């Protein structure tokens, strides 16, 4: 979809596990604590993934870290950039925020909302934020293929999610 208020709203409760919604721009994108996610159209990777883990609800917050690690691994592979995870949901490069993960549990599912500043020019990065922002373009000096990055993240997320679910099964008494 080109434009949507939020990719999280595109995933209906009945959508299958693993369903993905992607948009070129979000008009009401948000992060943790209701903070706004701002990005010029067509410059960022903005998507949501629906998961339906059968685990105790107390474990669901762990999915933010699962997704953040998958994103960090993908940034290393696709952009050759090392991202630090700032608990609970930010990815930083040289102390500047490049991405955020928002996991929301509702209706027996978890919707992971992920926003990554990919090809945002320095002049277009938000300045009225609590943490300085950056983008993969600024940090690498080259444009990054957003589709390639999405595929890499989804592959790594699937692997990490399966491992997380497997760890749950191994912990059963």
């Amino acid at each position: 979809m080109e434009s949507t208020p939020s990719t999280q709203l595109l995933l209906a409760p009945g959508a299958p596990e693993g369903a993905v919604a992607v948009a070129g721009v979000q008009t009401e994108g948000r992060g943790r604590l209701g903070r706004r996610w701002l990005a010029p159209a067509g410059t960022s990777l903005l998507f949501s993934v629906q998961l339906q883990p059968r685990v105790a609800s107390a474990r669901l917050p762990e999915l933010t870290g699962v997704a953040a690690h998958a994103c960090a691994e993908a940034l290393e592979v696709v952009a050759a950039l090392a991202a630090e995870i700032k608990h609970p949901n930010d990815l930083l490069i040289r102390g500047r925020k490049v991405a955020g993960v928002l996991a929301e549990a509702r209706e027996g599912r978890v919707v992971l909302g992920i926003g990554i500043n990919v090809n945002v020019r320095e002049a277009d990065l938000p300045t009225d934020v609590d943490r300085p922002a950056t983008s993969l373009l600024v940090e690498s000096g080259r444009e990054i293929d957003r589709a390639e990055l999405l595929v890499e993240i989804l592959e790594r997320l699937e692997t990490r999610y399966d491992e997380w679910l497997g760890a749950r099964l191994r912990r059963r008494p």
Side-chain angles (χ1 to χ4, degrees), residues 18 20 22 47-49 74 149-159:
V20 178
V22 183
F47 68 103
S48 293
V49 179
L149 181 59
L150 176 63
V151 168
E152 190 69 32
I153 290 170
L154 293 175
E155 287 176 355
R156 292 180 179 277
L157 178 58
E158 181 177 26
T159 298

Side-chain angles (χ1 to χ4, degrees), residues 39-145:
T43 62
S44 296
L45 183 53
L46 308 166
F47 68 103
S48 293
V49 179
Q50 179 150 294
L51 302 176
Q52 298 168 342
R54 305 287 185 247
V55 299
S57 59
R59 290 206 53 224
L60 295 178
E62 296 171 14
L63 285 170
T64 299
V66 169
H69 280 92
C71 288
E73 291 170 353
L75 294 181
E76 178 80 36
V77 169
V78 175
L81 293 168
E84 167 194 356
I85 298 170
K86 180 186 171 291
H87 186 75
N89 70 324
D90 291 341
L91 276 81
L92 311 178
I93 296 176
R94 295 184 310 120
R96 297 171 70 187
K97 184 173 178 175
V98 71
V101 177
L102 180 64
E104 291 189 332
R106 60 182 179 267
E107 302 161 332
R109 64 191 177 126
V110 174
V111 178
L112 294 173
I114 299 173
I116 302 173
N117 293 330
V118 180
N119 295 317
V120 184
R121 296 175 314 154
E122 180 84 42
D124 293 331
L125 289 166
T127 55
D128 59 340
V129 291
D130 59 335
R131 175 172 296 280
T134 192
S135 72
L136 302 180
L137 171 66
V138 169
E139 298 299 327
S140 70
R142 64 182 175 92
E143 286 202 3
I144 303 296
D145 184 313

